[in-house]
Amino acid sequence: MGNDNRKFSWYGSLGLAILCADEILLFMGVDVIRIFFIPIACSAFVLFLDALNWMTRGESLIRSRRKEFLVMLPWSVFCSFIFELYNLHIQNWTYVGVPQDLVLRSIGFLWGFGTIFPAILETSDLLQVVFQKVRIKPRKISRATLFIHMVFGLLCLTVPMLFPHSTAKYLIPFVWIGFALFLEPINYFLGGRSLFRYFENGELKQLFSLMLSGLVCGGLWEFWNYWAEARWVYDVPFSWSGPKVFEMPLAGFLGFIPFAVECHAMQNYLLAVLNRRKTLTPS
């Protein structure tokens, strides 16, 4: 592959321009921007990241894994609604300033939710170079270990829903780790991309880049959310959660770390199912 093919793609420059325009028009008070500010910013960010990945790594979702990118968008929406279903019971966040019109409100949610997985996974791909040399001794992971993780993950996902809201609202951390613990072993058994398979090879870059990606994306999301008219607000019950940074209590940012790992687990579960008879090349 020649260097000419790895120049910063035009859509990356477009994404950066849209992001800047989005910020400027927001502070100018343009109504449509105030409503859709977050989905626009997130979409522009994904375009910028993909172009950056292509330039620096020679590989990206849009340029070299386009089918994966296309199935990721609706899957990101679907998985986001799963978390929203949990929140109906746990009630840790609510939305304010959303349009009263059902069509506009639906567009905003679908658009915004569709950018979550691409942002997390594109950022993680970009950050892997930081942890390239972080390794552990390769070792085989037993089936018993995998099943134990699955059972604990399933408990994390079910127990919060068995308690009334007054108790369940304190159990949200279990939801943030449950899908990763439950799905990563399944991904391993299905022959897909799994953190457990990476661990067997002594690789930690995938895990650490995901964790850092969660903090990076979480910080950006909360920054954009703070200025938007249509945004989310939190009701975090822990008294020790610290002062707010934007709308998020300080300790709440820790939730973005396992959330990014869950995005990886959920996306690769879908891919493993769709490619059951294929061997997927780890990114």
Side-chain angles (χ1 to χ4, degrees), residues 159-205:
V159 169
M161 305 302 287
L162 302 178
F163 287 92
H165 164 68
S166 58
T167 301
K169 64 182 181 179
Y170 293 98
L171 302 179
I172 188 64
F174 291 103
V175 178
W176 295 137
I177 64 174
F179 282 104
L181 292 173
F182 180 63
L183 291 177
E184 286 292 350
I186 295 178
N187 294 342
Y188 180 96
F189 289 132
L190 292 177
R193 302 178 191 141
S194 170
L195 291 175
F196 287 107
R197 196 171 302 280
Y198 296 137
F199 296 159
E200 282 192 331
N201 296 328
E203 298 180 51
L204 291 178
K205 64 179 182 179

Side-chain angles (χ1 to χ4, degrees), residues 1 6 21 38 41 63 66 78 84 111 122 126 128 136 148 160 165-168 173-174 239 259 265:
M1 184 180 297
R6 290 182 53 178
I38 296 174
R63 293 291 293 268
R66 191 164 300 168
F78 177 80
E84 293 297 324
W111 185 0
E122 288 269 25
L126 187 65
Q128 283 190 19
I136 56 175
I148 289 172
H165 164 68
S166 58
T167 301
F174 291 103
S239 60
F259 176 69

